[in-house]
Amino acid sequence: MSSLSSRARGAVSRAADNPGLERLTRAGFVGYGILHLLFAWVVVRVASGGPTADGDQSGAMQEIADEPFGLALIVAIVVGLVAMALWQVLEALRERRLGERVASAGRAAFYLYLAFSGVKVLRGKKSSSADTQQDTAEGLLASSGGRVAVMAVGLFLAGLGGWLAFVGLTGRFEKHLRVSEMAAATRRLVRRLGVAGYLAKGLAYGIAGVLFVVAAWRYDPDKARGLDAALRTLAGETYGTALLLVVAAGFAAYGLFAVTEARYRKV
């Protein structure tokens, strides 16, 4: 049994270290960064009160679907996201620490979720992730058990937001980077981009989580629209426009940070 396990681990390691997969994964980080830059633009549109697609990643892809080369860009982003998901699955399989396995599995699931959103846009489907979340929540809130499930999702998102903010404030994201290859000025820039990006994502997901909890407590599925509801809730506050512009700047910073990961991430 131990020799079989050893052979299996060897096969997983060889697959994870495949040069082709590494190149696709690094290209995926560029696409991931572009997606965050597009999302930052969507947040600016929400802040300005102009017409826009839903304020989430699927909305960001819908924004460019009708632009020249937009579909080609979405295809490239989807391929890169699938490669990133496969890389994280292999990392989960060869990682020995449970916490790292769970983290890798979670990242793989998220990358696949984004890739699936891109595929829906490519197929011309206009139904957004926010609509899907709201419809699902509405069905779940019809039962007491479903209400608990929606609240659990909200608590998870709020916790995720807190964790992302913690990662940003402490600079823990640097452990995944080859910082020894960076010049001092480059490391300072990358760290600042990472801190700003993780804090912005933490704020957005934290608010989304709180709104899911509110949706379960008040039986209000309109609040269970993920990032879209979080952004539009901020827009309605007294200082909402300023906060949204700060969030947009943070997501743009994260997008640039993700692009640097294409060069410096440990893959």
Side-chain angles (χ1 to χ4, degrees), residues 75-163:
V75 169
I77 290 174
V78 168
V79 171
L81 287 169
V82 171
M84 292 169 71
L86 177 58
W87 161 58
Q88 284 298 299
V89 167
L90 294 171
E91 287 294 303
L93 290 174
R94 71 175 178 177
E95 180 59 58
R96 295 181 182 276
R97 291 169 296 181
L98 178 60
E100 290 297 327
R101 283 186 175 185
V102 173
S104 291
R107 284 190 286 265
F110 182 64
Y111 296 148
L112 286 176
Y113 165 75
L114 292 181
F116 179 67
S117 297
V119 170
K120 288 201 298 183
V121 173
L122 290 172
R123 294 178 62 185
K125 291 187 176 181
K126 297 298 182 181
S127 59
S128 69
S129 299
D131 290 335
T132 301
Q133 291 165 12
Q134 181 178 346
D135 291 342
T136 302
E138 189 170 5
L140 289 172
L141 290 176
S143 65
S144 57
R147 184 185 179 193
V148 172
V150 173
M151 188 170 292
V153 170
L155 293 173
F156 170 78
L157 287 174
L160 175 61
W163 172 252

Side-chain angles (χ1 to χ4, degrees), residues 35-54:
L35 184 58
H36 279 79
L37 291 172
L38 291 170
F39 181 65
W41 171 242
V42 170
V43 177
V44 171
R45 296 277 296 277
V46 173
S48 65
T52 182
D54 287 319

